[in-house]
Amino acid sequence: MTDSPVWLVTGASKGIGLEVVRAALASGARVAATTRSPEKLSAELPDPNLLALAVDLSDDHDVRRAVAQVQTEFGYIDVLVNNAGYSLLGAVEEVPLADVRANFDINVFGVLTMIQAVLPGMRDRGSGRILNLASISASVTGPAQGIYSASKAAVLMLTEALDAEIAPLGLRATAICPGGVRTDFLDASSTRRPEVTIPGYDSVARTLAALDRLNHNQGGDPARLARTLVQIAALPDPPSRIYLGTDALHAIAHKSDEVRADAERYADLSRSITS
């Protein structure tokens, strides 16, 4: 299978990332997967076409070392899936800046570092697909979600610009924007919240309580999502962004209506700056 596609998937220890590795292997691909516990992943998925790697996504040198290792092992990389990330929830005023920077180091700069490390090889071959996990939260946000949404909005806009840049080179990039998916993403082990809260932010408290109720009851199936990513990677003309899940489609439609209504309501004020 030396001519089979090669995937590189980040954040593969559980949830969506793990299911993407399963789906890619099932499609006949060879898969390199980053995880905090490569031995555990290899034991869970004992497949000769799997290369499990421990990578610190906040360390540029470690990312480039890992990419070089994948290229040495498999020869090239056809599909990059930037899935690693976590949520930081709480009122904007409450969240310590050090925690915000740490969150962006993984959610945004980890994505960017991996892209910059993989692109030279893809450009040399004139083919490649980059799938960046954004979220419906990149386009639709609310109380308690400001930091997480900001990080995912950065991924979304980065991906759209990237796709416009690399499409003439035979490469494509797609921002994947799912709605709620049944994983442990909202568990305490995968989510960060401020240790000190500020009284008065009732809307934040209500949102966090609603997210706790939603946890493990989301409508999205992670295995189906993973199989959909395999389909997207194979599209000859993929979208630069795609919303996955009925809830995501409803949310973006409602948001689009809101933005359009506000644009029309304040159109005269908007036009007033044009000389």
Side-chain angles (χ1 to χ4, degrees):
M1 297 182 65
T2 56
D3 59 347
S4 59
V6 176
W7 285 51
L8 173 55
V9 182
T10 70
S13 59
K14 56 186 177 180
I16 292 173
L18 178 60
E19 293 301 331
V20 171
V21 173
R22 291 185 196 276
L25 288 170
S27 75
R30 292 171 289 164
V31 181
T34 75
T35 170
R36 290 185 295 270
S37 303
E39 297 83 5
K40 180 180 177 182
L41 179 60
S42 296
E44 185 164 356
L45 298 176
D47 192 304
N49 291 311
L50 173 64
L51 173 64
L53 302 170
V55 182
D56 181 355
L57 294 175
S58 65
D59 184 328
D60 296 1
H61 297 292
D62 202 37
V63 168
R64 295 183 185 280
R65 173 203 57 77
V67 169
Q69 183 177 349
V70 176
Q71 291 168 333
T72 298
E73 183 77 17
F74 291 146
Y76 47 83
I77 297 168
D78 293 293
V79 181
L80 168 64
V81 180
N82 277 307
N83 168 72
Y86 65 94
S87 61
L88 178 58
L89 302 175
V92 170
E93 184 184 359
E94 293 173 337
V95 184
L97 289 179
D99 291 351
V100 176
R101 292 188 178 99
N103 188 240
F104 270 66
D105 271 346
I106 300 300
N107 289 12
V108 181
F109 292 107
V111 170
L112 177 58
T113 303
M114 188 63 73
I115 289 171
Q116 290 185 344
V118 167
L119 269 179
M122 288 185 171
R123 283 193 293 102
D124 287 345
R125 298 185 71 225
S127 67
R129 294 288 185 269
I130 297 174
L131 307 181
N132 294 329
L133 266 291
S135 168
I136 184 59
S137 296
S139 304
V140 180
T141 192
Q145 302 167 67
I147 303 304
Y148 178 67
S149 289
S151 73
K152 290 303 182 179
V155 171
L156 175 57
M157 293 295 101
L158 174 69
T159 305
E160 290 204 338
L162 174 65
D163 186 51
E165 292 169 354
I166 65 177
L169 307 176
L171 319 179
R172 297 301 302 270
T174 300
I176 308 298
C177 302
V181 181
R182 289 188 303 277
T183 67
D184 63 358
F185 186 67
L186 292 174
D187 286 358
S189 61
S190 302
T191 300
R192 307 290 187 274
R193 298 184 183 185
E195 294 182 2
V196 179
T197 59
I198 299 173
Y201 284 116
D202 296 339
S203 61
V204 171
R206 287 194 297 270
T207 297
L208 293 175
L211 290 174
D212 288 339
R213 292 192 296 272
L214 180 65
N215 192 20
H216 296 290
N217 294 303
Q218 297 95 329
D221 183 325
R224 289 187 180 186
L225 171 59
R227 291 192 293 270
T228 299
L229 294 196
V230 174
Q231 291 178 282
I232 293 170
L235 291 174
D237 186 23
S240 61
R241 74 165 78 178
I242 186 168
Y243 294 93
L244 300 179
T246 303
D247 57 343
L249 289 175
H250 287 166
I252 194 59
H254 181 67
K255 183 64 177 181
S256 298
D257 289 342
E258 281 187 335
V259 172
R260 186 180 302 109
D262 276 350
E264 292 172 355
R265 180 181 180 186
Y266 296 105
D268 289 341
L269 186 60
S270 298
R271 296 189 188 100
S272 69
I273 73 162
T274 305
S275 57

